[in-house]
Amino acid sequence: MRTAYSVETVRAAERELMARLPEGALMQRAAAGLAAACADVLGRVYGSRVVLLVGSGDNGGDALYAGARLARRGAGVSAVLLAPERAHGGGLAALRRAGGRVVGADWGGAEAVVGRADLVV
């Protein structure tokens, strides 16, 4: 059986947990889990091509930090920012420091990287 939780239930649980953790710890946990799941799907991280379709807010931050982890392991990571003006600043900086790149959301640039990707997140 699978269980689903309402948005408010999840947000309440996150608030309670974040009150007890250092700033950013929950996002780093989510990023680590996402990067590990991506590595499992890829089988081999080094040399793989990963494209992130990144929205705004903390979920986008999770993806960007996960992309940074994958880039540090040798993946070529490209992020397509769907709302560039609202991208998570810390996650974006981490991705760039790790060697990841940002691709324009115009479908010409995004379509090209997606077409060559081993994994799209």
Side-chain angles (χ1 to χ4, degrees):
M1 178 168 86
R2 293 182 185 239
T3 303
Y5 298 96
S6 70
V7 171
E8 187 46 47
T9 299
V10 171
R11 286 185 179 155
E14 287 178 337
R15 276 192 302 273
E16 183 181 317
L17 185 57
M18 285 189 289
R20 297 190 319 255
L21 294 173
E23 175 84 24
L26 189 59
M27 184 172 289
Q28 290 303 321
R29 287 181 184 179
L34 178 56
C38 290
D40 286 345
V41 169
L42 288 166
R44 185 187 78 157
V45 174
Y46 187 85
S48 65
R49 293 173 305 251
V50 177
V51 175
L52 309 171
L53 302 178
V54 181
S56 61
D58 289 347
N59 286 337
D62 296 343
L64 290 165
Y65 281 117
R69 288 172 178 268
L70 294 169
R72 286 194 303 270
R73 290 183 59 190
V77 180
S78 299
V80 178
L81 303 181
L82 303 176
E85 68 286 352
R86 294 184 3 233
H88 190 278
L92 191 55
L95 178 70
R96 286 184 169 139
R97 279 192 309 272
R101 65 188 189 116
V102 175
V103 177
D106 65 272
W107 283 110
E111 187 175 17
V113 294
V114 167
R116 293 187 307 268
D118 298 306
L119 178 64
V120 178
V121 179

